[in-house]
Amino acid sequence: GEVPDIFISDCYVPNRWMGYSLKTVFMQMRAMNAAASPRPTDMMIWGCMNTGYSMKRSPTPEENDMTVHYAVAEGAKGIYYFCDWNSYPQLAEGGYFIGMRKTNMLWKNIGRMNAELTRIAPLLSKGHPFQIAETDNPQLYVRSLLCGKDNFVVVMVNNSHQIHSATNNRGALQPFIYPVKDTTVKLDLPPWFTARSVVRVAWDQVAPVKLQGGGKSRSIKVDDVMTSQV
């Protein structure tokens, strides 16, 4: 990992290559960071479909949302997609590749994810995992990035989801996402950091969030997390 200037790895979920758990993304990012630090790490994620695979569909917009945020939460400096390529009439890997642009809902979600990341790109470009955020709710994955000396980015992803797979060997499991409701995220601030404000960043808006508590022990209330929040 320390050999290249930029370490880029692919994490193709959900499909037959790397399984059907989106949590593979953040576990792989942690391994990459351990191998490449202090060099930056980028992530290439699955964004298409192949008619020859057992799972004959592209990632859903919700799956793409959670995948992107799992990677960003662990410090990814860049997000790439595989792929926007239509192989027809040529067979490839047992079927036809259908590019992400052909899946309208996914294509729109990719645009929204890019719009959101563009808002916080100046912070993410200098961000590094530095854990100050935690919650008692196991349904919510929470990580934080120290971005310079004056800012933290806190990323939350809904862990309460399941991806349907015809090859999961666990019977007829159905896909679901249960929203995370009424959760408190605690912020244990370092001695040299003073919290002045918190905002929630989305692709189409930036909204203030009430900061509770005092001193170095602060918290925020989070409600109705369907996929993720930043």
Side-chain angles (χ1 to χ4, degrees):
E2 297 177 1
V3 174
D5 292 330
I6 300 176
F7 186 2
I8 305 175
S9 181
D10 48 27
C11 189
Y12 293 160
V13 292
N15 74 23
R16 67 183 185 181
W17 300 115
M18 301 190 72
Y20 300 92
S21 172
L22 300 183
K23 298 173 185 178
T24 303
V25 178
F26 75 75
M27 291 187 284
Q28 181 168 325
M29 276 298 307
R30 290 180 186 179
M32 290 167 58
N33 287 334
S37 182
R39 298 184 184 278
T41 52
D42 292 2
M43 178 68 78
M44 181 175 290
I45 60 180
W46 187 248
C48 64
M49 64 178 289
N50 188 300
T51 61
Y53 291 2
S54 58
M55 193 169 185
K56 297 177 176 62
R57 66 168 178 84
S58 301
T60 65
E62 294 79 11
E63 290 165 357
N64 184 66
D65 182 310
M66 291 184 283
T67 298
V68 168
H69 286 94
Y70 275 139
V72 169
E74 295 293 338
K77 294 295 183 289
I79 300 292
Y80 306 80
Y81 289 90
F82 182 90
C83 61
D84 191 25
W85 173 53
N86 303 298
S87 68
Y88 182 84
Q90 177 183 348
L91 285 171
E93 298 180 9
Y96 302 114
F97 275 100
I98 299 176
M100 55 194 181
R101 195 176 316 198
K102 295 292 186 179
T103 307
N104 189 49
M105 294 176 64
L106 174 61
W107 186 244
K108 288 182 177 179
N109 180 261
I110 290 172
R112 291 179 177 183
M113 292 297 97
N114 289 345
E116 177 191 300
L117 295 180
T118 297
R119 289 181 181 271
I120 55 176
L123 296 177
L124 297 179
S125 65
K126 55 185 176 182
H128 187 79
F130 189 112
Q131 194 65 357
I132 64 164
E134 64 177 3
T135 179
D136 294 332
N137 189 342
Q139 293 182 328
L140 192 65
Y141 161 95
V142 181
R143 296 289 286 176
S144 56
L145 305 167
L146 175 61
C147 306
K149 63 179 182 179
D150 298 323
N151 296 280
F152 278 97
V153 171
V154 178
V155 183
M156 294 164 279
V157 184
N158 183 354
N159 273 334
S160 186
H161 63 264
Q162 176 176 280
I163 300 173
H164 172 69
S165 164
T167 60
N168 55 29
N169 297 320
R170 293 177 58 192
L173 297 180
Q174 297 300 315
F176 65 77
I177 301 178
Y178 293 140
V180 178
K181 299 281 190 178
D182 192 23
T183 296
T184 297
V185 175
K186 300 176 183 178
L187 305 172
D188 185 14
L189 304 178
W192 43 265
F193 187 86
T194 300
R196 296 181 176 86
S197 64
V198 178
V199 295
R200 178 184 172 186
V201 180
W203 70 274
D204 58 346
Q205 65 176 337
V206 177
V209 175
K210 184 177 180 181
L211 184 62
Q212 301 177 334
K216 301 302 178 183
S217 297
R218 312 299 291 270
S219 66
I220 56 176
K221 282 285 189 179
V222 180
D223 191 27
D224 201 21
V225 180
M226 181 58 73
T227 52
S228 61
Q229 288 187 17
V230 177

